[in-house]
Amino acid sequence: MGQKRLPAGMLRLLGALLILAACVFLGQMFSRRLRERQLFLRGCHQGLLALMREIDYAASPMRRALPAAAEPAGPAAQLFLRAAELLAGSPGCTAGEAWLKALDEQPALADEDRRLLSLLSEGLGLSDAASQLKALELLRQR
């Protein structure tokens, strides 16, 4: 008994449909990742603004300023909270080191975003308020 085979045209159509479905799936996956990154960066912007206010007006130490900055940060709140947790839980850890460790744990960041946000670690919590505000403003503008 012979097996029935699909006509060549039907196989081509099936192959084209599979390719199309794979492209749609990949497009949606990349779109979701881009949307998550955009929301995260918008939250970082809001969190940095709040951190600037905490440093400038409330004159809060980093242990209190970071959790306060997390409130308006939305999707990026975990970054600020984790940095505060690392700062409080690790004796001898500077705010900059805590910031870098917290950044490393954020999967939504692209390499370029991570590089820019890591620039903040250089003087965070170590310099005077004016210098920290200047660094935050420069980072926020990028």
Side-chain angles (χ1 to χ4, degrees):
M1 285 191 220
Q3 293 180 342
K4 290 192 175 186
R5 290 187 164 184
L6 292 175
M10 187 66 91
L11 285 175
R12 286 186 184 140
L13 180 62
L14 184 60
L17 287 174
L18 286 173
I19 290 171
L20 181 65
C23 289
V24 167
F25 174 74
L26 286 174
Q28 287 182 345
M29 185 179 71
F30 286 126
S31 173
R32 183 174 16 96
R33 290 175 82 194
L34 188 59
R35 187 173 36 248
E36 288 172 0
R37 178 177 171 240
Q38 181 184 20
L39 289 172
F40 188 87
L41 290 175
R42 188 175 296 141
C44 278
H45 184 261
Q46 293 302 317
L48 291 173
L49 287 173
L51 188 59
M52 289 173 69
R53 285 190 299 271
E54 284 294 317
I55 292 170
D56 194 21
Y57 301 118
S60 298
M62 278 298 147
R63 287 184 185 349
R64 277 188 271 162
L66 287 167
E71 291 178 28
Q78 188 58 37
L79 171 63
F80 293 91
L81 291 172
R82 182 66 178 140
E85 180 183 301
L86 288 166
L87 183 61
S90 304
C93 181
T94 66
E97 292 168 345
W99 180 257
L100 284 176
K101 288 177 186 175
L103 272 177
D104 287 341
E105 297 173 6
Q106 302 305 313
L109 288 174
D111 289 340
E112 179 66 13
D113 304 330
R114 196 176 308 280
R115 187 187 66 74
L116 285 173
L117 287 169
S118 69
L119 293 175
L120 179 61
S121 71
E122 294 171 7
L124 194 62
L126 296 177
S127 55
D128 63 342
S131 297
Q132 290 182 71
L133 288 171
K134 187 176 180 180
L136 283 164
E137 181 60 30
L138 288 173
L139 177 62
R140 193 182 66 80
Q141 289 176 359
R142 289 183 181 183

